[in-house]
């Protein structure tokens, strides 16, 4: 069973189209041949469309429609529309090419050669002319070849080695006011924090421990202790801690310690920040 799905509006449109087609095709003999079309309708779908009456199944509705009658007479012709506006004037045509140059006229005849005049007598010798000025300086001659490079001079004496320094800080972080102690670092080195620890790259000797901090007035101050030793090994605390009290900003402590060798590390422990907080801690060891 062939089936075409359409809506109710589609049914109406289909009937109208079918009627138009039949009307157009059969307009010449619509009055003498007007067939009836049949179809079964079910939920917006048409089936069994044709000119013979079909048998529709249960639930289907039999519908039918007739062809339209003959075409009506043509309507009267509409009025002639108004004359359109005058078009714009066309562009000026291009200038034509220049005409060819006329031919060159012929050369006139050459006149005859006149007679040679008589040779005159030799005149007297003129006086000697004045001495001419000095001529211009000639161009500079080419540059001579480059001489051989001289031998390299002796190497100077090596300058004295400057004093050893190592620097460190709290990494830009402010030492808090609610901690008892804080290492200046984040990674462990033999139980000590190493993030801000400094590694010695050659044998060095140090005589003082320098620290700076901004301890506000009224705060209880801080103690800063220097630890040093081999990387991953036991660390030794300096014999004396640097103390910055309320309202102070710097402290210097003499050191008595053996020279450090390559691979040793230096790290600082901050203790008792106290109330009021502290600033960024900077430290160094030097001569």
């Amino acid at each position: 069973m062939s089936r075409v799905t359409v809506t109710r509006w589609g049914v109406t449109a289909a009937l109208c189209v079918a009627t138009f087609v039949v009307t157009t095709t059969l307009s010449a003999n619509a009055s003498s041949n007007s067939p009836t079309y049949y179809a079964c309708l079910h939920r917006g779908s048409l089936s069994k469309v044709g000119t013979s009456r079909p048998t529709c199944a249960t639930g289907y509705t039999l519908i039918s429609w007739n062809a339209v009658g003959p075409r009506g007479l043509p309507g009267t012709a509409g009025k002639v529309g108004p004359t359109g506006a005058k078009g714009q004037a066309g562009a000026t045509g291009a200038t034509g090419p220049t005409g060819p140059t006329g031919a060159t006229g012929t050369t006139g005849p050459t006149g005859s050669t006149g007679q040679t005049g008589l040779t005159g007598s030799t005149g007297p010798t003129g006086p000697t002319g004045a001495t001419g000025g000095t001529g211009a300086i000639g161009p500079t001659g080419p540059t001579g070849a480059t001489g051989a490079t001289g031998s390299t001079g002796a190497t100077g004496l090596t300058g004295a080695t400057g004093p050893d320094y190592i620097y460190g800080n709290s990494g830009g972080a402010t030492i808090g006011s609610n901690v008892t102690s804080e290492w200046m670092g984040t990674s462990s080195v033999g139980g000590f924090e190493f993030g801000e620890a400094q590694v010695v790259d050659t044998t060095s000797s140090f005589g003082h421990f320098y620290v700076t901090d901004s301890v506000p007035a009224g705060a209880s101050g801080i103690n800063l202790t220097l630890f040093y030793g081999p990387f991953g090994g036991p660390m030794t605390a300096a014999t004396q801690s640097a103390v910055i009290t309320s309202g102070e900003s710097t402290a210097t402590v003499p050191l008595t310690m053996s020279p450090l060798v390559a691979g040793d590390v230096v790290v600082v422990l901050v203790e008792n920040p106290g109330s009021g907080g502290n600033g960024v801690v900077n430290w160094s060891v030097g001569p």
Side-chain angles (χ1 to χ4, degrees):
M1 176 185 295
S2 60
R3 177 176 299 174
V4 179
T5 302
V6 294
T7 61
R8 292 183 179 180
W9 292 104
V11 173
T12 303
L15 295 179
C16 292
V17 171
T19 302
F20 174 76
V21 172
V22 172
T23 301
T24 303
T25 305
L26 304 177
S27 61
N29 57 357
S31 59
S32 61
N33 185 13
S34 300
T36 300
Y37 294 89
Y38 300 90
C40 295
L41 174 64
H42 180 66
R43 294 183 179 179
S45 299
L46 294 177
S47 61
K48 295 184 178 181
V49 179
T51 56
S52 300
R53 178 187 293 271
T55 300
C56 297
T58 303
Y60 288 76
T61 303
L62 177 63
I63 62 173
S64 63
W65 63 93
N66 295 328
V68 179
R71 181 182 297 178
L73 296 175
T76 59
K79 294 180 180 181
V80 177
T83 302
K86 183 178 179 180
Q88 296 179 352
T92 303
T95 303
T98 303
T101 303
T104 302
T106 59
T107 303
T110 302
S112 60
T113 301
Q115 295 179 351
T116 303
L118 299 174
T119 301
S121 59
T122 302
T125 302
T128 303
T131 302
T134 303
I137 297 174
T140 303
T143 302
T146 302
T149 303
S151 58
T152 303
T155 303
L157 298 176
T158 302
T161 303
D164 296 321
Y165 281 94
I166 294 181
Y167 303 90
N169 57 49
S170 57
T174 299
I175 300 301
S177 60
N178 297 319
V179 293
T180 302
S181 63
E182 183 172 342
W183 289 99
M184 291 188 191
T186 57
S187 302
S188 177
V189 178
F192 291 85
E193 298 295 330
F194 179 54
E196 299 300 331
Q198 303 299 313
V199 181
V200 179
D201 58 1
T202 186
T203 300
S204 304
S205 299
F206 306 101
H208 287 83
F209 176 35
Y210 309 92
V211 293
T212 62
D213 185 15
S214 55
V215 178
S220 59
I222 59 173
N223 298 331
L224 299 104
T225 304
L226 178 74
F227 285 79
Y228 56 93
F231 183 89
M235 303 290 284
T236 302
T239 56
Q240 183 177 353
S241 298
V243 179
I244 302 179
T245 60
S246 173
E248 292 184 341
S249 59
T250 62
T252 301
V253 177
L255 294 176
T256 301
M257 55 187 293
S258 301
L260 301 182
V261 298
D264 285 351
V265 296
V266 178
V267 69
V268 174
L269 173 66
V270 181
E271 296 180 289
N272 301 320
S275 62
N278 300 94
V280 176
V281 176
N282 297 279
W283 60 270
S284 66
V285 287

